[in-house]
Coordinates of all heavy atoms in Angstrom, one line a residue:
M7 N 0.8 -1.2 0.0 CA 0.0 0.0 0.0 C 0.9 1.3 0.0 O 1.9 1.3 0.7 CB -0.9 0.0 1.2 CG -1.7 1.2 1.3 SD -3.0 1.0 2.6 CE -4.4 1.7 1.7
L8 N 0.5 2.2 -0.8 CA 1.3 3.5 -0.9 C 1.0 4.4 0.3 O -0.1 4.4 0.8 CB 0.8 4.2 -2.1 CG 1.1 3.6 -3.5 CD1 0.5 4.4 -4.6 CD2 2.6 3.5 -3.7
S9 N 2.1 5.1 0.7 CA 1.9 6.1 1.8 C 1.2 7.3 1.2 O 1.1 7.5 0.0 CB 3.2 6.5 2.4 OG 3.9 7.4 1.5
T10 N 0.6 8.1 2.1 CA 0.0 9.4 1.6 C 1.0 10.2 0.8 O 0.6 10.8 -0.2 CB -0.6 10.2 2.8 OG1 -1.4 9.3 3.5 CG2 -1.3 11.4 2.3
F11 N 2.2 10.3 1.2 CA 3.2 11.0 0.5 C 3.5 10.5 -0.9 O 3.7 11.2 -1.9 CB 4.5 11.1 1.3 CG 4.4 11.9 2.5 CD1 4.3 11.3 3.8 CD2 4.5 13.3 2.5 CE1 4.2 12.1 4.9 CE2 4.3 14.1 3.6 CZ 4.2 13.5 4.8
D12 N 3.5 9.1 -1.0 CA 3.7 8.5 -2.3 C 2.5 8.9 -3.2 O 2.7 9.2 -4.4 CB 3.8 7.0 -2.2 CG 5.1 6.5 -1.5 OD1 6.1 7.2 -1.6 OD2 5.0 5.5 -0.9
V13 N 1.3 8.8 -2.7 CA 0.1 9.1 -3.5 C 0.2 10.6 -4.0 O -0.1 10.9 -5.1 CB -1.1 8.8 -2.6 CG1 -2.4 9.4 -3.3 CG2 -1.3 7.4 -2.4
L14 N 0.6 11.5 -3.1 CA 0.6 12.9 -3.4 C 1.8 13.3 -4.3 O 1.8 14.4 -4.8 CB 0.6 13.7 -2.2 CG -0.7 13.6 -1.4 CD1 -0.6 14.5 -0.1 CD2 -1.9 14.0 -2.2
A15 N 2.7 12.4 -4.5 CA 3.9 12.7 -5.3 C 3.5 12.8 -6.8 O 4.2 13.4 -7.6 CB 5.0 11.6 -5.1
E16 N 2.4 12.2 -7.2 CA 1.9 12.2 -8.5 C 1.1 13.5 -8.8 O 0.1 13.8 -8.2 CB 1.0 11.0 -8.8 CG 0.1 11.0 -9.9 CD 0.7 11.3 -11.3 OE1 1.7 10.6 -11.6 OE2 0.3 12.2 -11.9
P17 N 1.6 14.3 -9.8 CA 1.0 15.6 -10.1 C -0.5 15.5 -10.4 O -1.3 16.4 -10.0 CB 1.8 16.2 -11.2 CG 3.1 15.5 -11.2 CD 2.8 14.1 -10.6
T18 N -0.9 14.5 -11.2 CA -2.3 14.4 -11.6 C -3.2 14.2 -10.3 O -4.3 14.8 -10.2 CB -2.5 13.3 -12.6 OG1 -1.7 13.5 -13.7 CG2 -4.0 13.1 -13.0
R19 N -2.7 13.5 -9.4 CA -3.5 13.2 -8.2 C -3.6 14.5 -7.3 O -4.7 14.8 -6.8 CB -2.9 12.1 -7.3 CG -3.0 10.8 -8.0 CD -2.5 9.6 -7.2 NE -2.2 8.5 -8.0 CZ -1.1 7.9 -8.1 NH1 -0.1 8.2 -7.3 NH2 -0.9 6.9 -8.9
R20 N -2.6 15.3 -7.3 CA -2.6 16.6 -6.6 C -3.6 17.5 -7.3 O -4.4 18.2 -6.7 CB -1.3 17.3 -6.5 CG -0.3 16.5 -5.6 CD 0.9 17.4 -5.2 NE 1.6 17.9 -6.4 CZ 2.6 17.3 -7.1 NH1 3.0 16.1 -6.7 NH2 3.2 17.9 -8.1
R21 N -3.7 17.5 -8.6 CA -4.6 18.3 -9.4 C -6.1 17.9 -9.1 O -6.9 18.7 -9.0 CB -4.3 18.1 -10.9 CG -5.3 18.9 -11.8 CD -5.1 20.4 -11.8 NE -6.0 21.0 -12.7 CZ -6.9 21.9 -12.4 NH1 -7.0 22.4 -11.2 NH2 -7.7 22.4 -13.3
I22 N -6.3 16.5 -9.0 CA -7.6 16.1 -8.6 C -8.0 16.6 -7.3 O -9.1 17.1 -7.1 CB -7.7 14.5 -8.7 CG1 -7.6 14.0 -10.1 CG2 -8.9 14.0 -8.0 CD1 -7.4 12.5 -10.2
L23 N -7.1 16.6 -6.3 CA -7.4 17.1 -5.0 C -7.7 18.6 -5.1 O -8.6 19.1 -4.4 CB -6.3 16.8 -4.0 CG -6.0 15.3 -3.7 CD1 -4.9 15.2 -2.7 CD2 -7.3 14.7 -3.1
D24 N -7.0 19.3 -5.9 CA -7.2 20.7 -6.0 C -8.7 21.0 -6.6 O -9.4 21.9 -6.1 CB -6.2 21.4 -7.0 CG -4.8 21.5 -6.4 OD1 -4.7 21.4 -5.2 OD2 -3.9 21.7 -7.2
L25 N -9.1 20.2 -7.5 CA -10.4 20.3 -8.1 C -11.5 19.9 -7.1 O -12.5 20.6 -7.0 CB -10.5 19.4 -9.4 CG -9.7 19.9 -10.6 CD1 -9.7 18.8 -11.6 CD2 -10.2 21.2 -11.1
L26 N -11.2 18.9 -6.3 CA -12.2 18.5 -5.3 C -12.2 19.4 -4.1 O -13.2 19.5 -3.4 CB -11.9 17.1 -4.8 CG -12.1 16.0 -5.9 CD1 -11.7 14.6 -5.4 CD2 -13.5 16.0 -6.5
L27 N -11.2 20.2 -3.9 CA -11.2 21.2 -2.9 C -12.2 22.3 -3.1 O -12.9 22.8 -2.2 CB -9.8 21.9 -2.8 CG -9.6 22.9 -1.7 CD1 -9.8 22.3 -0.3 CD2 -8.2 23.5 -1.8
E28 N -12.5 22.5 -4.4 CA -13.5 23.5 -4.8 C -14.9 23.0 -4.5 O -15.7 23.7 -4.0 CB -13.4 23.8 -6.3 CG -12.1 24.5 -6.7 CD -11.9 24.6 -8.2 OE1 -12.8 24.2 -8.9 OE2 -10.8 25.0 -8.6
R29 N -15.1 21.7 -4.8 CA -16.4 21.1 -4.6 C -16.4 19.6 -5.0 O -15.5 19.3 -5.8 CB -17.5 21.8 -5.3 CG -17.4 21.8 -6.8 CD -18.5 22.6 -7.5 NE -18.3 22.7 -8.9 CZ -18.6 21.8 -9.8 NH1 -19.0 20.6 -9.4 NH2 -18.3 22.0 -11.1
P30 N -17.3 18.8 -4.5 CA -17.4 17.4 -5.0 C -17.7 17.4 -6.5 O -18.4 18.3 -7.0 CB -18.6 16.8 -4.2 CG -18.7 17.7 -3.0 CD -18.3 19.0 -3.4
R31 N -17.2 16.4 -7.2 CA -17.4 16.4 -8.7 C -17.6 15.0 -9.1 O -17.1 14.0 -8.6 CB -16.1 16.9 -9.4 CG -15.8 18.4 -9.1 CD -14.6 18.8 -9.8 NE -14.2 20.1 -9.4 CZ -14.5 21.2 -10.1 NH1 -15.4 21.2 -11.1 NH2 -14.1 22.4 -9.6
P32 N -18.4 14.8 -10.2 CA -18.6 13.5 -10.8 C -17.4 13.1 -11.6 O -16.6 14.0 -12.1 CB -19.9 13.6 -11.6 CG -19.9 15.1 -12.0 CD -19.3 15.8 -10.8
V33 N -17.2 11.8 -11.9 CA -16.1 11.3 -12.6 C -16.0 12.0 -14.0 O -14.9 12.4 -14.4 CB -16.1 9.8 -12.8 CG1 -15.0 9.3 -13.7 CG2 -16.1 9.1 -11.4
G34 N -17.1 12.1 -14.7 CA -17.1 12.7 -16.0 C -16.6 14.1 -16.1 O -15.8 14.5 -17.0
E35 N -16.9 14.9 -15.1 CA -16.4 16.2 -15.0 C -14.9 16.3 -14.8 O -14.2 17.1 -15.3 CB -17.1 17.0 -13.9 CG -16.8 18.5 -13.8 CD -17.6 19.2 -12.8 OE1 -18.8 18.8 -12.6 OE2 -17.1 20.1 -12.1
L36 N -14.4 15.4 -13.9 CA -13.0 15.3 -13.7 C -12.2 14.9 -14.9 O -11.2 15.4 -15.3 CB -12.7 14.3 -12.5 CG -13.1 14.8 -11.1 CD1 -13.0 13.6 -10.1 CD2 -12.3 15.9 -10.7
V37 N -12.8 13.9 -15.7 CA -12.2 13.5 -17.0 C -12.1 14.7 -17.9 O -11.0 15.0 -18.5 CB -13.1 12.4 -17.6 CG1 -12.6 12.2 -19.1 CG2 -13.0 11.1 -16.9
D38 N -13.1 15.5 -18.0 CA -13.1 16.7 -18.9 C -12.1 17.7 -18.4 O -11.3 18.3 -19.2 CB -14.5 17.4 -18.9 CG -15.5 16.5 -19.6 OD1 -15.1 15.6 -20.4 OD2 -16.7 16.8 -19.4
L39 N -12.0 18.0 -17.1 CA -11.1 19.0 -16.6 C -9.7 18.6 -16.6 O -8.8 19.4 -16.8 CB -11.5 19.4 -15.1 CG -12.8 20.1 -15.0 CD1 -13.3 20.1 -13.5 CD2 -12.7 21.5 -15.5
L40 N -9.4 17.3 -16.5 CA -8.0 16.8 -16.5 C -7.5 16.5 -17.9 O -6.3 16.5 -18.1 CB -7.9 15.5 -15.7 CG -8.2 15.7 -14.2 CD1 -8.4 14.3 -13.5 CD2 -7.1 16.4 -13.5
G41 N -8.4 16.3 -18.8 CA -8.0 16.0 -20.2 C -7.4 14.6 -20.3 O -6.7 14.3 -21.2
L42 N -7.8 13.7 -19.4 CA -7.4 12.3 -19.4 C -8.5 11.4 -19.9 O -9.7 11.9 -20.0 CB -7.0 11.8 -18.0 CG -5.8 12.5 -17.3 CD1 -5.7 12.0 -15.9 CD2 -4.6 12.3 -18.1
T43 N -8.2 10.2 -20.1 CA -9.3 9.2 -20.5 C -10.0 8.9 -19.2 O -9.5 9.1 -18.1 CB -8.7 7.9 -21.1 OG1 -7.8 7.3 -20.1 CG2 -7.8 8.2 -22.3
Q44 N -11.2 8.3 -19.4 CA -12.0 7.9 -18.2 C -11.2 6.8 -17.4 O -11.1 6.9 -16.2 CB -13.4 7.4 -18.7 CG -14.4 7.3 -17.5 CD -14.2 5.9 -16.8 OE1 -13.8 4.9 -17.4 NE2 -14.5 6.0 -15.5
P45 N -10.6 5.8 -18.1 CA -9.9 4.8 -17.3 C -8.7 5.3 -16.6 O -8.4 5.0 -15.5 CB -9.5 3.7 -18.4 CG -10.4 3.9 -19.5 CD -10.8 5.4 -19.5
G46 N -8.0 6.3 -17.2 CA -6.9 6.9 -16.6 C -7.3 7.7 -15.4 O -6.6 7.6 -14.3
T47 N -8.4 8.5 -15.5 CA -8.9 9.2 -14.3 C -9.3 8.3 -13.2 O -9.0 8.5 -12.1 CB -10.0 10.1 -14.8 OG1 -9.6 11.0 -15.8 CG2 -10.6 11.0 -13.7
S48 N -10.0 7.2 -13.6 CA -10.5 6.3 -12.6 C -9.4 5.6 -11.9 O -9.5 5.3 -10.7 CB -11.4 5.2 -13.3 OG -12.6 5.8 -13.7
K49 N -8.3 5.4 -12.5 CA -7.1 4.8 -11.9 C -6.6 5.7 -10.8 O -6.3 5.2 -9.7 CB -6.0 4.5 -12.9 CG -4.8 3.9 -12.4 CD -3.7 3.7 -13.4 CE -2.4 3.2 -12.8 NZ -1.3 3.1 -13.8
H50 N -6.4 7.0 -11.1 CA -6.0 7.9 -10.1 C -7.0 8.0 -9.0 O -6.6 8.1 -7.8 CB -5.7 9.3 -10.7 CG -4.5 9.3 -11.6 ND1 -3.3 9.2 -11.1 CD2 -4.4 9.6 -12.9 CE1 -2.4 9.3 -12.1 NE2 -3.1 9.5 -13.2
L51 N -8.3 8.1 -9.3 CA -9.3 8.1 -8.2 C -9.3 6.9 -7.3 O -9.4 7.0 -6.1 CB -10.7 8.3 -8.8 CG -10.9 9.7 -9.5 CD1 -12.2 9.7 -10.3 CD2 -11.0 10.8 -8.4
R52 N -9.0 5.8 -7.9 CA -8.9 4.5 -7.1 C -7.8 4.6 -6.1 O -7.9 4.3 -4.9 CB -8.7 3.3 -8.0 CG -8.8 2.0 -7.2 CD -8.5 0.8 -8.0 NE -7.0 0.7 -8.1 CZ -6.3 0.7 -9.2 NH1 -6.9 0.9 -10.4 NH2 -5.0 0.7 -9.3
V53 N -6.6 5.1 -6.6 CA -5.4 5.3 -5.7 C -5.8 6.3 -4.6 O -5.5 6.0 -3.4 CB -4.2 5.7 -6.5 CG1 -3.0 6.0 -5.5 CG2 -3.8 4.6 -7.5
L54 N -6.4 7.4 -4.9 CA -6.8 8.4 -3.9 C -7.8 7.8 -2.9 O -7.7 8.1 -1.7 CB -7.3 9.6 -4.6 CG -6.3 10.5 -5.3 CD1 -7.0 11.5 -6.2 CD2 -5.3 11.2 -4.4
R55 N -8.7 7.0 -3.4 CA -9.7 6.4 -2.5 C -9.1 5.4 -1.6 O -9.4 5.4 -0.4 CB -10.8 5.8 -3.4 CG -12.1 5.3 -2.6 CD -13.1 4.8 -3.5 NE -12.7 3.5 -4.1 CZ -12.5 3.3 -5.4 NH1 -12.7 4.3 -6.2 NH2 -12.1 2.2 -5.8
E56 N -8.2 4.6 -2.1 CA -7.5 3.5 -1.3 C -6.6 4.2 -0.2 O -6.5 3.6 0.9 CB -6.7 2.6 -2.2 CG -7.6 1.7 -3.0 CD -6.8 0.8 -4.0 OE1 -5.6 1.0 -4.1 OE2 -7.5 -0.1 -4.6
A57 N -6.1 5.4 -0.5 CA -5.3 6.1 0.4 C -6.1 6.9 1.4 O -5.6 7.5 2.4 CB -4.3 7.0 -0.3
G58 N -7.5 6.9 1.2 CA -8.4 7.6 2.1 C -8.5 9.1 1.9 O -9.1 9.8 2.7
L59 N -7.9 9.6 0.8 CA -7.9 11.0 0.5 C -9.2 11.5 -0.1 O -9.6 12.7 0.0 CB -6.8 11.4 -0.4 CG -5.4 11.2 0.3 CD1 -4.3 11.2 -0.7 CD2 -5.2 12.4 1.3
V60 N -10.0 10.6 -0.7 CA -11.3 10.9 -1.3 C -12.3 9.8 -0.9 O -11.9 8.7 -0.6 CB -11.2 11.1 -2.8 CG1 -10.3 12.2 -3.2 CG2 -10.9 9.8 -3.5
R61 N -13.5 10.2 -1.0 CA -14.6 9.2 -0.8 C -15.5 9.4 -2.0 O -15.6 10.4 -2.6 CB -15.3 9.4 0.5 CG -16.1 10.7 0.6 CD -16.9 10.7 2.0 NE -16.8 12.1 2.5 CZ -16.1 12.4 3.6 NH1 -15.5 11.5 4.3 NH2 -16.1 13.6 4.0
V62 N -16.2 8.3 -2.3 CA -17.2 8.3 -3.4 C -18.6 8.1 -2.9 O -18.8 7.4 -2.0 CB -16.8 7.2 -4.5 CG1 -16.9 5.8 -3.8 CG2 -17.6 7.3 -5.7
R63 N -19.5 8.8 -3.6 CA -20.9 8.8 -3.2 C -21.6 8.5 -4.5 O -21.5 9.1 -5.5 CB -21.3 10.1 -2.7 CG -22.8 10.2 -2.3 CD -23.1 11.6 -1.6 NE -22.4 12.7 -2.2 CZ -22.9 13.5 -3.1 NH1 -24.1 13.3 -3.7 NH2 -22.2 14.6 -3.6
Q64 N -22.5 7.4 -4.5 CA -23.3 7.0 -5.6 C -24.6 7.8 -5.6 O -25.2 7.9 -4.6 CB -23.6 5.5 -5.6 CG -24.2 5.0 -6.8 CD -23.1 4.7 -7.9 OE1 -22.0 4.4 -7.6 NE2 -23.5 4.8 -9.1
D65 N -24.9 8.4 -6.8 CA -26.1 9.2 -6.9 C -26.8 8.7 -8.2 O -26.4 9.2 -9.3 CB -25.9 10.7 -6.9 CG -27.1 11.5 -7.0 OD1 -28.2 11.0 -6.6 OD2 -27.0 12.6 -7.5
A66 N -27.7 7.8 -8.1 CA -28.2 7.2 -9.3 C -27.1 6.6 -10.2 O -26.4 5.7 -9.7 CB -29.1 8.2 -10.1
Q67 N -26.9 7.1 -11.4 CA -25.9 6.6 -12.3 C -24.6 7.3 -12.1 O -23.6 6.8 -12.8 CB -26.4 6.7 -13.8 CG -27.6 6.0 -14.1 CD -27.4 4.5 -14.0 OE1 -26.3 4.0 -14.3 NE2 -28.5 3.7 -13.6
R68 N -24.5 8.3 -11.4 CA -23.3 9.1 -11.2 C -22.5 8.8 -9.9 O -23.1 8.5 -8.9 CB -23.6 10.6 -11.3 CG -24.2 11.0 -12.6 CD -24.6 12.4 -12.5 NE -23.5 13.2 -13.0 CZ -23.5 14.5 -13.2 NH1 -24.6 15.2 -12.8 NH2 -22.5 15.2 -13.7
R69 N -21.2 8.8 -10.1 CA -20.3 8.6 -8.9 C -19.7 9.9 -8.6 O -19.0 10.5 -9.4 CB -19.3 7.5 -9.2 CG -19.9 6.1 -9.3 CD -18.9 5.1 -9.8 NE -17.8 4.9 -8.9 CZ -17.7 4.1 -7.9 NH1 -18.7 3.3 -7.6 NH2 -16.6 4.0 -7.2
W70 N -20.0 10.5 -7.4 CA -19.4 11.8 -7.0 C -18.2 11.5 -6.1 O -18.3 10.8 -5.2 CB -20.5 12.6 -6.3 CG -21.5 13.1 -7.2 CD1 -22.6 12.4 -7.7 CD2 -21.6 14.4 -7.7 NE1 -23.4 13.2 -8.5 CE2 -22.8 14.5 -8.5 CE3 -20.9 15.6 -7.6 CZ2 -23.2 15.6 -9.2 CZ3 -21.3 16.7 -8.3 CH2 -22.4 16.7 -9.1
Y71 N -17.2 12.3 -6.4 CA -16.0 12.2 -5.5 C -15.8 13.5 -4.7 O -16.1 14.5 -5.2 CB -14.7 12.0 -6.4 CG -14.6 10.5 -6.8 CD1 -15.3 10.1 -8.0 CD2 -13.9 9.6 -6.1 CE1 -15.2 8.8 -8.3 CE2 -13.8 8.3 -6.5 CZ -14.5 7.9 -7.6 OH -14.4 6.6 -8.0
E72 N -15.5 13.3 -3.4 CA -15.3 14.4 -2.6 C -14.0 14.2 -1.7 O -13.6 13.1 -1.4 CB -16.5 14.7 -1.7 CG -17.0 13.5 -0.9 CD -18.3 13.8 -0.3 OE1 -19.1 14.7 -0.7 OE2 -18.7 13.0 0.6
L73 N -13.4 15.3 -1.3 CA -12.2 15.3 -0.5 C -12.5 14.8 0.9 O -13.5 15.2 1.5 CB -11.7 16.7 -0.5 CG -10.3 17.0 -0.1 CD1 -9.3 16.2 -1.0 CD2 -10.0 18.5 -0.2
R74 N -11.6 14.1 1.5 CA -11.6 13.7 2.9 C -10.4 14.4 3.5 O -9.3 14.2 3.2 CB -11.4 12.2 3.1 CG -12.6 11.4 2.6 CD -12.5 9.9 3.1 NE -12.5 9.8 4.5 CZ -11.5 9.4 5.3 NH1 -10.4 8.9 4.7 NH2 -11.6 9.3 6.6
P75 N -10.7 15.3 4.5 CA -9.6 16.2 5.0 C -8.7 15.5 6.0 O -7.6 15.9 6.3 CB -10.4 17.3 5.7 CG -11.7 16.8 6.0 CD -12.0 15.8 4.9
E76 N -9.2 14.4 6.6 CA -8.5 13.7 7.7 C -7.0 13.4 7.3 O -6.1 13.7 8.1 CB -9.2 12.5 8.3 CG -10.6 12.8 8.9 CD -11.7 12.8 7.8 OE1 -11.4 12.6 6.6 OE2 -12.8 13.1 8.2
P77 N -6.8 12.7 6.2 CA -5.4 12.3 5.9 C -4.5 13.6 5.6 O -3.3 13.6 5.9 CB -5.5 11.5 4.6 CG -6.9 11.0 4.6 CD -7.7 12.0 5.3
L78 N -5.1 14.6 5.1 CA -4.4 15.9 4.9 C -4.0 16.5 6.2 O -2.9 17.1 6.3 CB -5.2 16.8 4.0 CG -5.5 16.3 2.6 CD1 -6.4 17.2 1.9 CD2 -4.2 16.1 1.8
A79 N -4.8 16.4 7.2 CA -4.5 16.9 8.5 C -3.3 16.2 9.1 O -2.4 16.8 9.8 CB -5.7 16.8 9.5
E80 N -3.2 14.9 8.8 CA -2.0 14.1 9.3 C -0.7 14.7 8.6 O 0.3 14.8 9.3 CB -2.1 12.6 8.9 CG -3.2 11.9 9.6 CD -3.4 10.5 9.1 OE1 -2.5 9.9 8.6 OE2 -4.6 10.0 9.3
I81 N -0.8 15.0 7.4 CA 0.4 15.6 6.7 C 0.7 17.0 7.3 O 1.9 17.3 7.5 CB 0.1 15.7 5.2 CG1 0.1 14.3 4.5 CG2 1.2 16.6 4.5 CD1 -0.4 14.3 3.1
D82 N -0.3 17.7 7.5 CA -0.1 19.1 8.1 C 0.5 18.9 9.5 O 1.4 19.7 9.8 CB -1.5 19.8 8.3 CG -1.3 21.2 8.7 OD1 -0.5 22.0 8.1 OD2 -2.0 21.6 9.8
N83 N 0.1 17.9 10.3 CA 0.7 17.7 11.6 C 2.2 17.3 11.4 O 3.0 17.7 12.3 CB 0.0 16.6 12.4 CG -1.4 17.1 12.8 OD1 -1.6 18.3 13.0 ND2 -2.2 16.1 13.0
W84 N 2.5 16.6 10.4 CA 3.9 16.2 10.2 C 4.8 17.4 9.8 O 5.9 17.5 10.2 CB 4.0 15.1 9.1 CG 5.4 14.6 8.9 CD1 6.1 13.7 9.6 CD2 6.3 15.0 7.9 NE1 7.3 13.5 9.1 CE2 7.5 14.3 8.0 CE3 6.2 16.0 6.9 CZ2 8.6 14.5 7.2 CZ3 7.3 16.2 6.0 CH2 8.5 15.5 6.2
I85 N 4.2 18.2 9.0 CA 4.9 19.4 8.5 C 5.1 20.5 9.5 O 6.0 21.3 9.5 CB 4.2 20.0 7.2 CG1 4.4 19.0 6.0 CG2 4.7 21.3 6.8 CD1 3.7 19.4 4.8
A86 N 4.2 20.6 10.5 CA 4.1 21.7 11.5 C 5.5 22.0 12.1 O 5.9 23.2 12.1 CB 3.1 21.3 12.6
P87 N 6.3 21.0 12.5 CA 7.6 21.4 13.1 C 8.5 22.1 12.1 O 9.4 22.9 12.5 CB 8.2 20.1 13.6 CG 7.0 19.1 13.7 CD 6.0 19.6 12.7
Y88 N 8.4 21.8 10.9 CA 9.3 22.4 9.8 C 8.9 23.8 9.5 O 9.7 24.5 9.0 CB 9.2 21.5 8.6 CG 9.8 20.1 8.8 CD1 9.0 19.1 9.2 CD2 11.2 19.9 8.8 CE1 9.5 17.8 9.5 CE2 11.7 18.6 9.0 CZ 10.8 17.6 9.4 OH 11.4 16.4 9.7
R89 N 7.6 24.2 9.8 CA 7.2 25.5 9.5 C 8.0 26.6 10.3 O 8.2 27.7 9.8 CB 5.7 25.7 9.9 CG 4.8 25.3 8.8 CD 3.4 25.9 9.1 NE 2.5 25.1 8.3 CZ 1.8 24.0 8.7 NH1 1.8 23.7 9.9 NH2 1.1 23.3 7.8
R90 N 8.5 26.1 11.4 CA 9.4 27.0 12.2 C 10.6 27.5 11.4 O 11.0 28.7 11.5 CB 9.8 26.3 13.5 CG 10.6 27.2 14.4 CD 11.3 26.5 15.5 NE 12.4 25.8 15.0 CZ 12.7 24.5 15.2 NH1 12.1 23.8 16.0 NH2 13.8 24.0 14.6
L91 N 11.1 26.6 10.6 CA 12.3 27.0 9.7 C 11.9 28.1 8.8 O 12.6 29.1 8.6 CB 12.8 25.8 8.9 CG 13.2 24.6 9.7 CD1 13.5 23.4 8.8 CD2 14.5 25.0 10.5
W92 N 10.7 28.0 8.2 CA 10.3 29.1 7.3 C 9.9 30.4 8.0 O 10.3 31.5 7.6 CB 9.0 28.6 6.5 CG 9.2 27.4 5.7 CD1 10.3 27.1 4.9 CD2 8.3 26.3 5.6 NE1 10.1 25.9 4.3 CE2 8.9 25.4 4.7 CE3 7.1 26.0 6.2 CZ2 8.3 24.1 4.4 CZ3 6.5 24.8 5.9 CH2 7.1 23.9 5.0
T93 N 9.3 30.2 9.1 CA 8.9 31.4 9.9 C 10.1 32.1 10.4 O 10.2 33.3 10.3 CB 8.0 30.9 11.1 OG1 6.8 30.2 10.6 CG2 7.5 32.1 11.9
D94 N 11.1 31.4 10.9 CA 12.3 32.0 11.4 C 13.0 32.8 10.3 O 13.5 33.9 10.5 CB 13.3 31.0 12.0 CG 12.7 30.4 13.3 OD1 11.8 31.0 13.9 OD2 13.3 29.4 13.8
S95 N 13.1 32.1 9.1 CA 13.7 32.8 8.0 C 13.0 34.1 7.6 O 13.6 35.1 7.3 CB 13.8 31.8 6.8 OG 14.7 30.8 7.1
L96 N 11.7 34.0 7.5 CA 10.9 35.2 7.2 C 11.0 36.3 8.2 O 11.0 37.4 7.9 CB 9.4 34.8 6.9 CG 9.1 33.9 5.7 CD1 7.7 33.4 5.7 CD2 9.5 34.6 4.4
D97 N 11.1 35.9 9.5 CA 11.2 36.9 10.5 C 12.6 37.6 10.4 O 12.7 38.8 10.5 CB 11.1 36.2 11.9 CG 9.7 35.8 12.3 OD1 8.8 36.3 11.6 OD2 9.6 35.0 13.2
R98 N 13.6 36.8 10.1 CA 14.9 37.4 9.9 C 14.9 38.4 8.7 O 15.5 39.5 8.7 CB 16.0 36.3 9.7 CG 16.4 35.7 11.0 CD 17.7 34.9 10.9 NE 17.6 33.8 9.8 CZ 17.1 32.6 10.0 NH1 16.6 32.3 11.2 NH2 17.1 31.8 9.0
L99 N 14.3 37.9 7.6 CA 14.2 38.8 6.4 C 13.4 40.1 6.7 O 13.9 41.2 6.3 CB 13.5 38.0 5.3 CG 13.2 38.8 4.0 CD1 14.6 39.3 3.4 CD2 12.5 38.0 3.0
E100 N 12.3 40.0 7.5 CA 11.6 41.2 7.8 C 12.4 42.1 8.7 O 12.4 43.3 8.4 CB 10.3 40.8 8.6 CG 9.4 41.9 8.9 CD 8.2 41.5 9.7 OE1 8.1 40.4 10.2 OE2 7.2 42.3 9.7
R101 N 13.1 41.6 9.7 CA 14.0 42.4 10.5 C 15.1 43.1 9.6 O 15.4 44.3 9.8 CB 14.6 41.6 11.6 CG 13.7 41.3 12.7 CD 14.4 40.8 13.9 NE 15.1 39.5 13.7 CZ 14.7 38.3 13.7 NH1 13.4 38.1 14.0 NH2 15.4 37.2 13.5
H102 N 15.6 42.4 8.7 CA 16.7 42.9 7.8 C 16.1 44.1 6.9 O 16.7 45.1 6.8 CB 17.2 41.8 6.9 CG 18.2 42.3 5.9 ND1 19.5 42.8 6.2 CD2 18.0 42.5 4.5 CE1 20.1 43.2 5.1 NE2 19.2 43.0 4.1
L103 N 14.9 43.9 6.4 CA 14.3 44.9 5.5 C 13.9 46.1 6.3 O 13.9 47.2 5.8 CB 13.1 44.3 4.8 CG 13.4 43.2 3.8 CD1 12.1 42.6 3.2 CD2 14.3 43.7 2.7
D104 N 13.5 45.9 7.6 CA 13.1 47.0 8.4 C 14.3 47.9 8.9 O 14.1 49.0 9.3 CB 12.3 46.5 9.6 CG 10.9 46.1 9.3 OD1 10.4 46.4 8.2 OD2 10.3 45.4 10.1
S105 N 15.5 47.3 8.9 CA 16.6 48.1 9.4 C 17.3 49.0 8.3 O 17.0 49.0 7.2 CB 17.7 47.1 9.9 OG 18.1 46.1 9.0

């Protein structure tokens, strides 16, 4: 099974998450927006679903995909200690520019 980081390393999957951040979307709409084939899009959606990053909802004949924020919160928690590095650097730059 792929880690969340492995799943997000693929640019197309990140693009799908960006699109789902705006709102839930049916598969056909994602196919159109991504410019991929339906099987190609479905392959990426399956990986995202297996990683827990998206969920699918059946509505009659349509399958709607929506973002699941919980796994992204795990990534955010992992990155949090590293933010200090950026914040410290930006604070130093601000002090330098103010002097």
